[in-house]
Each structure stands twice: as structure tokens, then as C-alpha cells.
Amino acid sequence: MMKKLVVITGASSGFGMALAKLFNQDGYPLLLLARRVERLEALNLSNTICRKVDVTDREAFQKAIDDAEQQYGETDLLINSAGVMLLGDIETQNPDEWQKMLDVNVMGVLNGMRAVMPQMKKRQGGTIMNVDSLAGIEPFEHHAVYCASKYAVMGLSETARQQMAPYNVRVMRILPGAVNTELLSHTTSDQIKNDYVAGNKAAGMGTITADDIAKSIKFAYELPQGVNLREIQIADTKQVL
Ligand code: NDP
């Protein structure tokens, strides 16, 4: 029997790309979303629809999901992995960067949830996995607005989890620590970027990869629908905070 549709945002890089490869290997039909659609297409995956969607564009996000569902049936798993981390300090950072993080990391997640929740509620099944962060439960230096965006993911996810529980719909969060992806590269301050890399190196970190995150998400999803691994904290063993 054909497996059910998995929708992955931010599939052009990092965790999202690792997820796309892993779920594809196991035969899941996929809808992959990102702005750099050519990167999605270059993966050349079977049973996969690739769409150029900015997750802050609610209509385009919904349309891409509706189109994929026409082909593969209703979404059984939505993984909200698209995100940006623009490190900086409140008093010096360009407020446009605050806006960007809140738009992508919070509004983007809400847009995705809104696009799939009604059908999941109706058919009493389905899973939403929001990629949160350890920065969603602890403060870190230069992370003020990134933390704000990731703390928000906990509030909105846990509220939705409670609301969807009677309908047998799972809302999960994964909270990774630092993993080497493109995420840090978009921060504008070279000083902050260099210090971040140097700090992790000094601690001996660097073992954990995007594949470890992808495997953990797949494990949680493949537990029975009646079991909700609500929150996964995962970090390099040598990460202290
Ligand atoms: P990457 O930078 O490698 O990937 C981010 C992905 O998000 C890209 O595919 C990018 O695609 C997509 N994206 C960014 N903005 C938008 C947008 N407006 N619309 C659609 N897609 C967008 O980072 P990671 O894979 O590391 O990060 C994935 C998630 O994990 C993020 O939510 C991040 O906050 C979280 N996280 C990461 C940690 C880490 O250390 N790496 C730790 C904890 C959490 P494109 O640019 O093509 O649109």
C-alpha cells in the first residue's frame, strides 16, 4: 500500500534536506517546499513534488499542499523545518532581521498548521512536527529574537496539541542543539559567527548531524498514532547549555 503524504518545509538545506532523503528512501510520497526550488529538484527524488514556496505566503503554502493532496491524498505528516537564525543584540541589530525571524519561524509554522489541521481533525489522524530549538526553552547570548521566535513555537504547538488531542491528532516538537548546517551562515555579524563556531569547537562539539535529527523525527512519527512523543531534546553530547 502507498504510504501517506509527508510535507517538508525548508527541504533545500539542513534538516529538511536530510528528512527528504530519509523519508524518500523509505517510500513516502513527498511535497518539498523552499524558495530555492532548483535545489529541491536537484535531489531528483521519486514520488516527490517540489514547489517554490515562501512559508510566509499563506496562500501559496496552502495551494501547494492542496495540489499535492490531489495527487497523493491527505497530508499525514507536516514537518515545519523552514527557519532562519539571524543572531544579534536587540539594541544594535537591524529590526528587519527581527521581523524576518518572527515571520518565518512563527508565522511560517502557523501557516503550515492552518493548512493541514482541518482535514487532520476531520479524519482523526495526522501529525505535525514543529522544529523548535533548545533556544526555545533557554536563553543564549545574541539569540534574543531567535529565542523569542522559538519560545513562541512552544506556546503555539502545545496549545494546538491540547486542542487536537481529543481528535487523535499529534502535535510534536523537536528541540535540537547546535548542528552544523547553513543556518548560522545568514547571520550578518562575522564576529558573532566566528565566536559561535569557535565556542562549539572549543567544547569538542561537532559529532551530531542533520541525519541524526531526521532519524529522530522519523522515529517519533512512526510510533503508533495513539502515542505522542511530544517533545524531543537532542544535542551533541558535548553541548553543555
Ligand atoms: P538551514 O539554513 O540549513 O535550512 C533552512 C531551510 O529553511 C532552508 O531550506 C531554507 O530554504 C528554508 N527557509 C528559510 N526561509 C524560508 C522561507 N521564507 N520560506 C521557505 N523556506 C525558507 O537550517 P537548518 O536545517 O539547520 O534549520 C532547520 C530548522 O531547524 C530551523 O527552524 C532552525 O531554526 C532549526 N534549528 C536548527 C538548529 C541548528 O543548529 N542547525 C538548532 C535548532 C533548531 P530556502 O532558503 O531555499 O527558502
Side-chain angles (χ1 to χ4, degrees):
M1 206 185 83
M2 182 75 164
K3 288 190 163 135
K4 291 176 179 165
L5 175 62
V6 175
V7 177
I8 304 171
T9 73
S12 62
S13 175
F15 302 165
M17 186 180 278
L19 284 158
K21 291 178 186 163
L22 187 67
F23 276 90
N24 172 262
Q25 276 165 21
D26 209 6
Y28 287 91
L30 301 177
L31 169 63
L32 305 182
L33 305 176
R35 292 164 304 172
R36 292 169 294 175
V37 71
E38 62 288 351
R39 287 209 188 190
L40 306 177
E41 285 160 355
L43 290 171
N44 205 13
L45 301 178
S46 53
N47 276 330
T48 295
I49 299 174
C50 303
R51 288 287 285 269
K52 181 184 173 78
V53 168
D54 185 321
V55 292
T56 64
D57 182 342
R58 191 175 308 126
E59 271 176 35
F61 200 163
Q62 176 82 58
K63 173 95 171 48
I65 289 179
D66 290 347
D67 291 350
E69 291 187 345
Q70 288 287 319
Q71 192 162 339
Y72 294 125
E74 285 166 330
T75 307
D76 198 51
L77 172 62
L78 166 67
I79 307 173
N80 282 309
S81 189
V84 283
M85 179 177 78
L86 306 170
L87 300 182
D89 299 319
I90 295 170
E91 73 277 20
T92 50
Q93 185 171 27
N94 183 338
D96 292 347
E97 295 192 347
W98 308 344
Q99 190 69 56
K100 180 104 202 151
M101 284 186 277
L102 295 171
D103 284 346
V104 178
N105 300 359
V106 183
M107 296 301 287
V109 169
L110 289 168
N111 290 339
M113 292 174 76
R114 189 179 170 95
V116 299
M117 280 170 72
Q119 62 85 358
M120 288 182 175
K121 188 173 179 180
K122 193 159 162 223
R123 70 183 171 86
Q124 308 216 351
T127 301
I128 296 167
M129 171 62 83
N130 289 336
V131 182
D132 200 339
S133 171
L134 289 183
I137 50 167
E138 299 286 352
F140 291 90
E141 194 180 16
H142 309 308
H143 282 58
V145 180
Y146 183 71
C147 276
S149 74
K150 292 300 188 177
Y151 273 66
V153 172
M154 171 162 63
L156 66 88
S157 302
E158 276 298 288
T159 305
R161 184 190 61 70
Q162 292 179 6
Q163 182 211 334
M164 298 301 271
Y167 299 95
N168 198 40
V169 175
R170 302 183 295 186
V171 180
M172 305 174 169
R173 284 172 302 130
I174 186 162
L175 287 61
V179 182
N180 190 16
T181 65
E182 289 177 16
L183 192 70
L184 179 68
S185 67
H186 305 292
T187 286
T188 45
S189 161
D190 287 334
Q191 177 79 52
I192 292 176
K193 277 195 280 199
N194 294 340
D195 289 352
Y196 186 98
V197 172
N200 291 351
K201 195 164 172 235
M205 290 162 55
T207 303
I208 195 168
T209 66
D211 289 331
D212 297 312
I213 307 306
K215 279 187 239 167
S216 306
I217 289 174
K218 189 158 176 288
F219 171 80
Y221 171 62
E222 289 178 342
L223 289 169
Q225 183 70 36
V227 178
N228 187 352
L229 213 179
R230 296 179 183 181
E231 175 183 300
I232 304 168
Q233 293 190 29
I234 179 169
D236 196 286
T237 303
K238 290 195 172 173
Q239 178 165 344
V240 178
L241 293 177

